[in-house]
Amino acid sequence: MKNIYTYLTNNKTQSILAFDPISIFECKDGRCLKEAADFLEKHTEDYRFGYISYDLKNEVEDLKSQNLDRIQFPTVGFFVPKYVVEWNEDEKLNFLKGKADQKALDFIAQFERNKDILPINNVELKPGLSKTEYISKIDELQKEIQYGNIYEVTYCQEFFAENCEIAVLPTYFELNKKTKASFSCFLGWNGKYLLSASPERFLKREGEQLISQPIKGTAKRGSTPKEDLKLKTDLLSSEKERAENVMIVDLVRNDLSRIAKRNSVKVDELFGVYTFETVHQLISTISAEIDKSVSILDILKALFPMGSMTGAPKISAMQLIEKHETFKRGLYSGSVGYFKPNGDFDFNVIIRSILYNEKNKTISCPVGGAITLKSSPEMEYEECLVKVKALKETLQSK
């Protein structure tokens, strides 16, 4: 079987494994957006799994990506699998596509054996920026906000390691045990790997409804129930965190309105507080109704990249991200997901992730947060350390 497969799990009701591609689309540059949409439309009666990297933004808008790319995923990759299997909440296996032949059962058994293997990793992540350099970057971005060029920007820094090797699947399952994140996924793509503990949904389609659930607002978990409750309460009442969240909610509402039916865009939940194994998060839910004639290309042009990973206004924020970040985001802050034969789809936001290039033995673990005028550079730096903590621990599981 070709070295392209995905495993998606929400850690509550369903996990899906897609493997053995019968048709593959990959694009590194050029007309990736249009060609990806054509591939997806060509196979509308089948399952399609894959990813979109952040740098597809350069085709959605007149932008560029010239920073260092350590992992080098192609810009877009999708495949039609021969087999799609799911595990429900009772861990019962069901074939959504393909038959339970010996080839498939052997692959699944080999895959599942990795769940019980404790990875022995000795990888130490290095920061791409010193704390002083990071704070200086935040100061510069806050000046851009004072000048009125942007209102908010999601600024990220990279933690990385070189000359390292990991057992990818055992490491993924170890990370998943630590985080139990809602939109976790594993992606293998010809020697490049994504091990993601993402808690965030980018976009889901159910019939004629689109649903987006941006995250903005983070607090660490407490060491006692009392401290944990206080941190959760403080997060919800924080004027700064709520302002970050509502700015992105407005951006998503505006993006959805470009393709939605008239007066159908609504905020279903504002400032929902959700608790995960390692953090508390503020999550809002926005939905809209779209006409059946709205194409995949229309949806991507209107909504990608997701506002929670850019800022507002979106184009100005992305220009400043390119100027001030020191690495090419690539798959980080892009999206992994799948399309069903009925046209429904579900895609996450690639954050809280380990990206690994097996050939050049390099790991990249970017993290970031939303910067506003009310942001404290010191606290933003500490938030980055909270977000990278589970990744570091998983990569040092000696």
Side-chain angles (χ1 to χ4, degrees):
M1 296 185 187
K2 296 183 179 68
N3 186 19
I4 292 177
Y5 57 108
T6 61
Y7 177 71
L8 312 171
T9 178
N10 64 15
N11 286 295
K12 290 182 180 179
T13 59
Q14 183 191 49
S15 297
I16 300 176
L17 175 65
F19 58 98
D20 199 4
I22 56 178
S23 184
I24 301 170
F25 170 80
E26 178 182 294
C27 183
K28 295 182 179 179
D29 52 47
R31 291 168 49 82
C32 296
L33 180 61
K34 176 64 167 59
E35 291 177 7
D38 289 345
F39 176 85
L40 294 168
E41 296 283 3
K42 179 181 177 182
H43 298 280
T44 51
E45 297 181 359
D46 212 329
Y47 282 93
R48 293 139 289 163
F49 285 72
Y51 71 89
I52 305 164
S53 79
Y54 171 77
D55 299 292
L56 192 64
K57 68 181 174 62
N58 302 331
E59 293 184 39
V60 178
E61 304 292 348
D62 184 17
L63 299 167
K64 58 186 177 181
S65 299
Q66 296 181 324
N67 291 324
L68 176 64
D69 182 4
R70 298 183 194 276
I71 306 302
Q72 299 169 1
F73 263 94
T75 304
V76 183
F78 281 96
F79 71 99
V80 176
K82 182 177 180 180
Y83 302 98
V84 180
V85 298
E86 69 170 353
W87 290 262
N88 62 21
E89 54 191 333
D90 298 321
E91 288 297 307
K92 290 182 179 179
L93 186 65
N94 177 38
F95 274 76
L96 300 177
K97 182 186 177 185
K99 295 180 180 180
D101 55 32
Q102 197 59 49
K103 180 181 179 183
L105 293 175
D106 287 347
F107 183 88
I108 294 166
Q110 181 182 3
F111 181 85
E112 288 206 287
R113 278 195 289 271
N114 289 279
K115 293 180 179 179
D116 300 319
I117 299 173
L118 182 66
I120 302 174
N121 294 324
N122 188 20
V123 176
E124 185 169 352
L125 294 175
K126 298 183 290 186
L129 293 171
S130 68
K131 183 177 180 180
T132 300
E133 290 170 330
Y134 173 85
I135 289 173
S136 176
K137 294 284 189 180
I138 302 304
D139 288 340
E140 291 179 48
L141 289 167
Q142 287 182 319
K143 288 177 183 176
E144 297 287 349
I145 298 172
Q146 288 177 320
Y147 298 151
N149 295 330
I150 50 169
Y151 307 113
E152 177 177 351
V153 59
T154 299
Y155 181 74
C156 303
Q157 61 173 317
E158 182 185 38
F159 291 81
F160 69 96
E162 298 170 322
N163 300 314
C164 56
E165 295 182 32
I166 59 172
V168 287
L169 275 169
T171 301
Y172 168 74
F173 285 118
E174 182 68 15
L175 176 63
N176 190 255
K177 288 173 189 174
K178 287 180 181 295
T179 59
K180 295 182 174 63
S182 304
F183 297 97
S184 297
C185 71
F186 176 89
L187 170 68
W189 197 274
N190 292 326
K192 300 174 182 68
Y193 297 94
L194 168 72
L195 294 64
S196 180
S198 173
E200 184 172 0
R201 168 178 279 139
F202 165 42
L203 196 64
K204 180 179 183 179
R205 179 173 186 166
E206 291 181 337
E208 295 182 11
Q209 186 180 52
L210 289 180
I211 301 163
S212 184
Q213 294 182 293
I215 291 178
K216 272 291 163 276
T218 303
K220 67 180 181 179
R221 294 295 306 271
S223 56
T224 66
K226 184 177 179 180
E227 182 190 15
D228 203 43
L229 179 60
K230 184 179 186 305
L231 288 165
K232 187 175 177 179
T233 303
D234 289 348
L235 174 63
L236 181 58
S237 61
S238 168
E239 184 180 343
K240 177 251 183 191
E241 303 287 1
R242 289 163 70 94
E244 286 181 11
N245 193 288
V246 79
M247 275 192 265
I248 298 306
V249 167
D250 284 343
L251 190 154
V252 173
R253 287 173 60 204
N254 181 67
D255 285 351
L256 282 169
S257 69
R258 296 163 65 183
I259 54 172
K261 292 180 180 178
R262 186 178 178 86
N263 298 323
S264 72
V265 179
K266 60 180 180 179
V267 178
D268 302 274
E269 181 180 33
L270 187 63
F271 309 140
V273 182
Y274 290 79
T275 298
F276 299 91
E277 295 294 305
T278 57
V279 290
H280 300 293
Q281 304 275 198
L282 279 187
I283 304 178
S284 294
T285 301
I286 309 102
S287 65
E289 299 293 325
I290 59 171
D291 192 89
K292 289 182 179 179
S293 63
V294 176
S295 70
I296 294 169
L297 184 59
D298 294 332
I299 293 170
L300 289 175
K301 283 183 174 180
L303 290 155
F304 193 82
M306 62 289 297
S308 63
M309 295 307 297
T310 60
K314 192 182 265 190
I315 296 174
S316 298
M318 288 190 287
Q319 289 170 336
L320 289 170
I321 286 168
E322 175 66 18
K323 178 180 178 181
H324 291 282
E325 289 184 354
T326 59
F327 68 102
K328 184 177 180 180
R329 288 191 180 183
L331 189 50
Y332 174 74
S333 70
S335 184
V336 168
Y338 70 106
F339 292 83
K340 295 180 180 180
N342 67 0
D344 289 352
F345 58 75
D346 204 359
F347 280 79
N348 69 1
V349 178
I350 298 302
I351 51 177
R352 323 285 164 84
S353 299
I354 297 167
L355 293 125
Y356 177 54
N357 185 315
E358 189 174 51
K359 184 177 180 180
N360 67 23
K361 299 181 179 181
T362 300
I363 285 174
S364 175
C365 299
V367 290
I371 308 303
T372 67
L373 266 184
K374 294 183 179 180
S375 297
S376 158
E378 289 270 353
M379 291 181 67
E380 292 296 336
Y381 185 80
E382 292 303 316
E383 183 178 311
C384 287
L385 297 184
V386 169
K387 290 174 176 175
V388 80
K389 183 173 184 287
L391 308 178
K392 280 187 169 183
E393 290 175 349
T394 304
L395 290 169
Q396 293 178 336
S397 54
K398 293 182 284 186

